[in-house]
Amino acid sequence: MYPSATSDSLPQFMSAPTMCQFAKDGLWEQAWSFPSDRPPSLPELDGYLAHRTEVAFEAFFGPAFFGVRLSGTTSEVKAFGIKCLNALSAQSWFFDALRREIGCPGLGQKPDFAEIGCVNAWRSIGAFRMTELPPTVSEFELLWSLVCDSPVGRDTDHAKAIEFAFKHPIEHWFGIPISVEGGPNLVSKTLLASADQALIRWRHGRFL
């Protein structure tokens, strides 16, 4: 049963979400966060959206996270927000419910690109985008050097994650932590390499 469809599923996404947040206009620094077991009411959601035509939702599984974004009419965006909240009631079967509600994430879908960035500061710090997935061993060493020299690699104020992003059927992404909790927030070469291995599994349809 989805999301724990196989024994190869990544453990980060096999439990119930621990926290969620909405963000408007990509401003994650100003995200509206709430515990997954105490979601906002529909009037509160309506007040937050305030007739917006774009909103993004993220569900956290400890430091790992899943996000999805919709642009559309005000009624479409409101309905999208409600569907995201509805999926939370499924707890450990969140992804199963979300797939019924909004049609994603799919199984075995290849990501369009990956980015390394700062959690809740993706736009302000700037993300490091990867287009060749997954890198070879020699490419990984070059990647590691470039990441270390980037604004993301030099930042020590925010936790780091790698996002695997998809454009279809709507924009969505999975984020895997690549910095050590409680540490200096620098990108971990070991965790980045582990995320690369996760991508190889994902490309064979075994990520979720």
Side-chain angles (χ1 to χ4, degrees):
M1 184 179 294
Y2 198 85
S4 52
T6 76
S7 59
D8 293 318
S9 300
L10 291 182
Q12 292 98 322
F13 300 102
M14 292 177 65
S15 62
T18 52
M19 189 195 80
C20 300
Q21 57 186 16
F22 283 105
K24 297 177 287 192
D25 302 321
L27 299 177
W28 292 105
E29 296 87 342
Q30 303 172 23
W32 179 32
S33 302
F34 51 89
S36 61
D37 59 350
R38 294 194 299 276
S41 66
L42 296 188
E44 288 173 326
L45 175 65
D46 199 28
Y48 169 77
L49 293 175
H51 305 290
R52 290 300 179 106
T53 56
E54 181 275 339
V55 74
F57 170 83
E58 283 188 333
F60 282 79
F61 303 78
F65 55 91
F66 167 82
V68 59
R69 176 181 288 110
L70 180 75
S71 297
T73 65
T74 57
S75 59
E76 288 172 336
V77 168
K78 180 179 178 180
F80 167 77
I82 293 172
K83 290 176 179 179
C84 291
L85 294 180
N86 287 343
L88 293 177
S89 62
Q91 293 296 304
S92 295
W93 307 115
F94 167 76
F95 286 111
D96 189 38
L98 193 68
R99 191 161 61 129
R100 289 196 302 268
E101 292 280 352
I102 64 174
C104 76
L107 288 171
Q109 186 178 0
K110 296 181 181 180
D112 292 289
F113 61 90
E115 287 185 336
I116 297 170
C118 299
V119 177
N120 280 354
W122 215 265
R123 178 178 292 182
S124 58
I125 301 296
F128 182 96
R129 179 169 290 203
M130 302 163 55
T131 54
E132 295 298 323
L133 304 171
T136 64
V137 173
S138 60
E139 288 171 340
F140 179 81
E141 292 301 323
L142 175 60
L143 169 66
W144 172 246
S145 176
L146 293 173
V147 169
C148 289
D149 289 337
S150 70
V152 171
R154 294 192 299 268
D155 173 81
T156 59
D157 295 329
H158 304 86
K160 306 302 184 299
I162 182 169
E163 282 187 0
F164 298 111
F166 304 81
K167 298 177 181 179
H168 304 287
I170 60 175
E171 185 180 352
H172 62 287
W173 57 90
F174 285 87
I176 299 176
I178 54 172
S179 58
V180 179
E181 288 188 274
N185 290 319
L186 292 171
V187 177
S188 163
K189 187 175 185 179
T190 300
L191 293 179
L192 179 59
S194 296
D196 178 56
Q197 291 302 309
L199 175 58
I200 294 173
R201 292 168 58 184
W202 195 338
R203 287 199 136 182
H204 288 84
R206 301 197 305 270
F207 193 80
L208 282 173

